[in-house]
DNA sequence: TTGCATTTACGAAAAGTTTCGTATATCATT
DNA sequence: AATGATATACGAAACTTTTCGTAAATGCAA
């Protein structure tokens, strides 16, 4: 019996915020906003980030600690689960459900190091062994 | 000197239309609309599909033959190129640019047949050799 | 030819997402 | 206590995407 999280899928902007929280752990709006503005060329206003994080908290993608004046936000959406769900949707829409087509396309742009190829080969072997 | 197509990326709904045209070849709005409604549960109105295809024609994602009253639409966006561009955007947003992470996730989660695994292995070998 | 069904054209509503202005509260410094 | 900097709350504007209503044109069949 696995527990489904059943969270809504994040939008593009929301995913950007999740990436930061997944990487950095619990953070303030100020920090997340700064990270976003480092990653991107386009400047994003502080209240924009705040609003998004408030919406995400409502959707349960995040939770927050409001003990101090400066709230600290935590990602509730699990990275792996979120990626998995987004991947499924993407494979369905773009590759008509064929994960293999996607893998071929992804590897086809041969910018994959030998070490990464080895990892993939190892995984394939593991799958083949059952 | 390769010629870049430089087409805008399709939206979700537009991609659904492209999939049908890629598979079926040149088609009428009526046909595309029927296909969409077979694939999905949600009923899409005829003029909705028409409007989308008109917009896509403006964007050069499609072209059309207007010789007869019932126009026949053709996909101008190339399937492989479109998939590649969408994949890059998706990998960047969801896997922080790591195609390997995506491949691992895709192989890990989806059911992959032995034949498909063989194809992937063959591709990996090809990459390693060349 | 007249009327009905089907098509295209067009605009705009509806829905979803992102952005920010402004008000208000809180904290630190003077 | 007053001032200034920074935080949250909230609503609504601005954009993007999707959907459809309605009008006008075209072809078909009685």
């Amino acid at each position: 019996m696995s527990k489904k999280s059943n969270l809504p899928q994040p939008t593009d902007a929301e995913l950007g915020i999740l990436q930061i929280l997944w990487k950095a752990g619990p953070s303030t709006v100020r920090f997340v906003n700064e990270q976003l503005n480092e990653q991107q060329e386009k400047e994003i206003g502080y209240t924009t980030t705040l609003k998004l994080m408030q919406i995400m908290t409502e959707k349960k993608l995040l939770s927050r600690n409001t003990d101090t004046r400066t709230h600290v936000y935590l990602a509730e959406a699990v990275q792996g689960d979120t990626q998995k769900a987004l991947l499924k949707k993407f494979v369905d829409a773009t590759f008509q459900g064929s994960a293999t087509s996607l893998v071929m396309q992804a590897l086809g742009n041969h910018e994959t190091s030998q070490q990464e190829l080895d990892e993939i080969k190892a995984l394939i072997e593991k799958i083949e062994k059952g």
Side-chain angles (χ1 to χ4, degrees), chain A:
Chain A
M1 188 80 162
S2 69
K3 48 178 160 183
K4 282 204 227 154
S5 39
N6 242 33
L7 296 172
Q9 290 188 7
T11 64
D12 285 352
E14 289 172 350
L15 183 57
I17 289 172
L18 280 174
Q19 297 283 10
I20 290 164
L21 291 176
W22 283 331
K23 187 170 182 188
S27 309
T28 63
V29 174
R30 174 69 55 194
F31 176 79
V32 170
N33 182 248
E34 278 165 2
Q35 292 292 307
L36 286 176
N37 285 326
E38 274 182 31
Q39 293 177 359
Q40 308 174 193
E41 61 299 337
K42 188 177 173 295
E43 191 79 3
I44 293 176
Y46 173 87
T47 56
T48 301
T49 304
L50 170 65
K51 180 66 169 183
L52 270 173
M53 291 175 75
Q54 286 171 339
I55 291 171
M56 291 171 76
T57 302
E58 225 160 74
K59 291 183 184 174
K60 312 284 189 190
L61 290 171
L62 308 182
S63 62
R64 63 177 173 181
N65 183 322
T66 59
D67 290 351
T68 54
R69 177 167 88 108
T70 303
H71 300 351
V72 175
Y73 289 78
L74 171 72
E76 284 295 325
V78 176
Q79 182 170 30
D81 294 351
T82 303
Q83 287 174 332
K84 181 178 168 183
L86 291 174
L87 177 59
K88 176 171 172 30
K89 180 166 167 267
F90 178 75
V91 171
D92 286 348
T94 308
F95 292 90
Q96 301 269 232
S98 167
T100 303
S101 298
L102 168 134
V103 169
M104 303 288 280
Q105 179 74 263
L107 292 179
N109 304 335
H110 43 345
E111 285 171 26
T112 319
S113 72
Q114 184 58 54
Q115 188 193 322
E116 290 174 316
L117 290 176
D118 287 342
E119 285 175 38
I120 295 167
K121 283 195 289 187
L123 174 60
I124 291 178
E125 269 186 45
K126 201 172 145 200
I127 293 172
E128 286 175 330
K129 300 228 163 132

